[in-house]
Amino acid sequence: MVERRPVKPGELMGLAAAAGQEARVAAARRRMAPIRLTEEERRICTDELAEQFAVGRLDEDELHARIDRLNDAVTHADLQPVFAGLPTPSLYQPGPRKPSRWRWAAFAGAVWLAAPFFLTGLVLLVFGREVAAAIFGLPALLWTLVAYRWAAGKSKRSRRP
């Protein structure tokens, strides 16, 4: 009988993220399949093969054979046998995402919602009600800061070197 250990939610999320990444890479390969290769893409693929050789996944004869196939390739579909059994080349890896305009529109809405509370806090501060000013003003500032960080796309992952 096989002993089963409980699955943690973090593991499931990691597996789901990896599956989503693989699906995006496969979709990019399918979209690019009929498109002709450029010289820059060939150079990138040659660098990838050289890296696989340096790591030890390819021997010298196989490297030369794959580079010959790469030089004979016309479209992206012709690259599949070149990279068979190797990690996906960086051509198909999705680049970093930029925050979209709708995030900045949502940020403007968050500021619009926070402004009356912040102004109420300022008025209360002027009249000597520091506790009431803090109750109104500080959450509005915090709300605006969180909305800005979300709209700018800053997360813990993007701040790491």
Side-chain angles (χ1 to χ4, degrees):
M1 185 167 157
V2 177
E3 183 180 329
R4 292 188 179 187
R5 64 178 179 85
V7 179
K8 297 177 183 171
E11 291 175 3
L12 288 176
M13 290 172 45
L15 291 173
Q21 177 74 12
E22 289 175 14
R24 283 191 291 278
V25 168
R29 276 189 146 172
R30 278 194 305 275
R31 277 192 311 273
M32 298 287 289
I35 298 174
R36 295 178 64 90
L37 286 169
T38 65
E39 289 304 314
E40 179 66 17
E41 291 168 339
R42 279 184 216 280
R43 188 195 58 76
I44 291 170
C45 290
T46 304
D47 291 345
E48 295 274 340
L49 288 173
E51 184 177 327
Q52 298 306 320
F53 172 72
V55 171
R57 289 193 178 109
L58 299 173
D59 61 359
E60 192 171 345
D61 294 332
E62 189 175 2
L63 173 67
H64 291 301
R66 287 180 187 240
I67 287 178
D68 289 340
R69 276 188 257 155
L70 173 64
N71 290 331
D72 292 339
V74 176
T75 65
H76 284 268
D78 299 335
L79 290 180
Q80 289 185 347
V82 173
F83 285 97
L86 296 174
T88 306
S90 62
L91 290 174
Y92 306 110
Q93 300 294 338
R97 292 184 176 180
K98 294 189 297 186
S100 60
R101 288 185 178 182
W102 69 268
R103 282 185 171 225
W104 289 109
F107 168 69
V111 170
W112 185 256
L113 287 173
F117 292 98
F118 180 72
L119 293 174
T120 303
L122 285 177
V123 168
L124 290 171
L125 188 62
V126 167
F127 289 115
R129 308 281 186 206
E130 290 85 9
V131 174
I135 290 173
F136 275 92
L138 292 179
L141 285 175
L142 182 65
W143 168 268
T144 305
L145 176 68
V146 169
Y148 173 76
R149 290 181 58 85
W150 174 78
K154 294 180 182 175
S155 66
K156 288 182 181 177
R157 278 184 267 134
S158 66
R159 288 187 303 238
R160 289 185 186 154

